[in-house]
Amino acid sequence: MKAIGYQQSLPIEDERSLVDCELPKPEPGPHDIRVAVKAVSVNPIDTKVRMRAAPPAGETKVLGFDAAGVVDAVGSSVTLFQPGDEVFYAGSIVRQGTNSEFHLVDERIVGRKPRTLSFAQAAALPLTSITAWELMFDRMGIAQGKDDTRTLLIVGGAGGVGSIMIQLARKLTGLTVIATASRPETIQWCLDLGAHHVVDHSKPMKEQIEKLKVPPVAWIASLTATEPHFKAMADILAPQGVIGLIDDPPPLETTLIKGKAGSLRWESMFTRSTFQTPDMIAQHHLLDRVADLIDAGEIKTTLDKVFGKINAANLRSAHATIESGKSIGKIVLEGW
């Protein structure tokens, strides 16, 4: 089968950083489904793994987490899917990635593809949907329903996770949603997705938020640049509030939120699949819920651009765009 992989960690400008290759078609284990991959999307984690995790000498590592495709074969213990089913999912960080014609994934972290979306539109959603959902509802303890009318601040609202979090927060909670963005196009993107307000994170945020006269900022989702924004977030956070984060900051001055009895909560969407947690199937259920919301017209795909077919040259372009820090929403590649 066709695949795109790498054998050493190299800058994306180097043509050897991602290369086209041929690999054996994998055979599913008991809980695996084998998916004929139709579309993939690129996430910041792809670029981080490429640069931080070189494969053992002589081995080829395939990157990629998000995928949408058609079930091609199933393992002996699979009960949730059968060949011919259309699916979408975000894979596992401890297995080979989705940048291949056929891919193995545990059925418990797979959802049905939204019927109303193309494969490209669906591939934009899984990793960011899981991350946003788990961060809000599992880690930060936000309640679904319209009763709580406090404020959620999303730092980095125009990125992949922020783009879906804005929508989920608006549809499933009663919170006032403030996103941060710093360019005209990213500000408009956040507003179009449903943010009540957008503030500029390149300027002092507290003063901007105070002028909005919104309810207390009980939750802050720090999706990027946590370290440079941490002092400001600690100042903005309401007493007994929660800061949730997904990036990799250096050690933080956590005593800044001690006086407020504030909490820090980490989210990693690969935890359940990496450690085979007893509640691993929660990702299957939440992806199905996201598909239902999509098909009901409650939320929409966060796809921004399709970079062409799934090959090394186009993936290198996608990685370079992600590394530039200027991407909006999600980048997808489709077809072979």
Side-chain angles (χ1 to χ4, degrees):
M1 66 175 182
K2 295 178 182 177
I4 299 90
Y6 72 108
Q7 294 187 328
Q8 53 185 320
S9 294
L10 295 168
I12 200 60
E13 295 78 17
D14 193 315
E15 290 190 354
R16 298 169 298 166
S17 60
L18 292 169
V19 296
D20 295 301
C21 56
E22 290 280 338
L23 295 174
K25 189 175 180 179
E27 293 300 322
H31 287 287
D32 290 338
I33 59 173
R34 186 172 66 201
V35 177
V37 174
K38 304 298 183 184
V40 299
S41 76
V42 182
N43 295 280
I45 187 66
D46 297 67
T47 68
K48 293 175 183 177
V49 172
R50 191 194 84 247
M51 289 305 297
R52 297 176 185 175
E59 294 186 16
T60 299
K61 182 174 179 62
V62 177
L63 288 171
F65 300 102
D66 278 327
V70 179
V71 177
D72 169 71
V74 300
S76 58
S77 299
V78 168
T79 61
L80 300 174
F81 300 100
Q82 58 187 1
D85 288 345
E86 296 183 351
V87 296
F88 74 149
Y89 60 93
S92 166
I93 202 166
V94 295
R95 303 185 70 172
Q96 287 281 49
T98 56
N99 296 332
S100 57
E101 282 189 285
F102 296 92
H103 181 252
L104 298 182
V105 61
D106 190 301
E107 64 169 342
R108 293 169 289 181
I109 59 172
V110 178
R112 70 162 187 87
K113 183 183 80 67
R115 291 183 294 273
T116 54
L117 296 187
S118 67
F119 286 107
Q121 292 170 326
L125 289 166
L127 185 146
T128 54
S129 295
I130 294 170
T131 301
W133 188 290
E134 290 185 346
L135 182 59
M136 286 195 298
F137 303 129
D138 296 349
R139 313 300 175 220
M140 296 172 71
I142 294 173
Q144 295 186 45
K146 301 296 183 178
D147 293 339
D148 196 324
T149 57
R150 290 175 291 176
T151 296
L152 166 66
L153 173 64
I154 302 173
V155 180
V161 176
S163 295
I164 193 69
M165 184 178 286
I166 291 170
Q167 298 184 74
L168 291 174
R170 282 302 311 272
K171 294 300 179 182
L172 300 179
T173 80
L175 302 176
T176 295
V177 178
I178 302 176
T180 80
S182 60
R183 293 177 282 144
E185 61 270 29
T186 54
I187 291 169
Q188 191 58 51
W189 175 270
C190 292
L191 292 171
D192 290 345
L193 290 173
H196 291 100
H197 308 282
V198 181
V199 300
D200 187 343
H201 51 236
S202 69
K203 301 174 182 177
M205 291 189 288
K206 185 178 181 181
E207 290 85 346
Q208 297 175 72
I209 293 172
E210 287 176 341
K211 289 178 181 178
L212 297 174
K213 305 296 184 184
V214 296
V217 180
W219 293 279
I220 300 176
S222 181
L223 307 180
T224 184
T226 294
E227 193 272 334
H229 292 311
F230 190 71
K231 187 177 186 301
M233 291 190 293
D235 204 18
I236 293 165
L237 187 69
Q240 302 181 94
V242 178
I243 298 174
L245 56 157
I246 64 172
D247 61 347
D248 306 297
L252 300 169
E253 193 176 348
T254 55
T255 53
L256 290 173
I257 60 174
K258 179 182 178 181
K260 293 180 176 178
S263 300
L264 280 181
R265 307 284 172 80
W266 290 93
E267 159 59 11
S268 172
M269 58 114 345
F270 295 117
T271 296
R272 283 172 160 143
S273 57
T274 297
F275 295 98
Q276 300 281 295
T277 61
D279 64 348
M280 185 171 162
I281 200 169
Q283 292 190 347
H284 162 72
H285 295 311
L286 77 83
L287 285 175
D288 277 359
R289 180 81 184 280
V290 169
D292 290 341
L293 291 167
I294 289 282
D295 289 338
E298 297 292 316
I299 62 175
K300 61 183 180 180
T301 182
T302 54
L303 168 62
D304 181 48
K305 290 184 175 66
V306 177
F307 271 39
K309 292 187 178 299
I310 307 169
N311 59 42
N314 289 337
L315 271 174
R316 287 196 297 270
S317 295
H319 277 231
T321 301
I322 294 287
E323 290 177 359
S324 76
K326 300 297 184 183
S327 60
I328 300 175
K330 293 301 295 292
I331 296 169
V332 170
L333 289 81
E334 182 178 25
W336 296 90

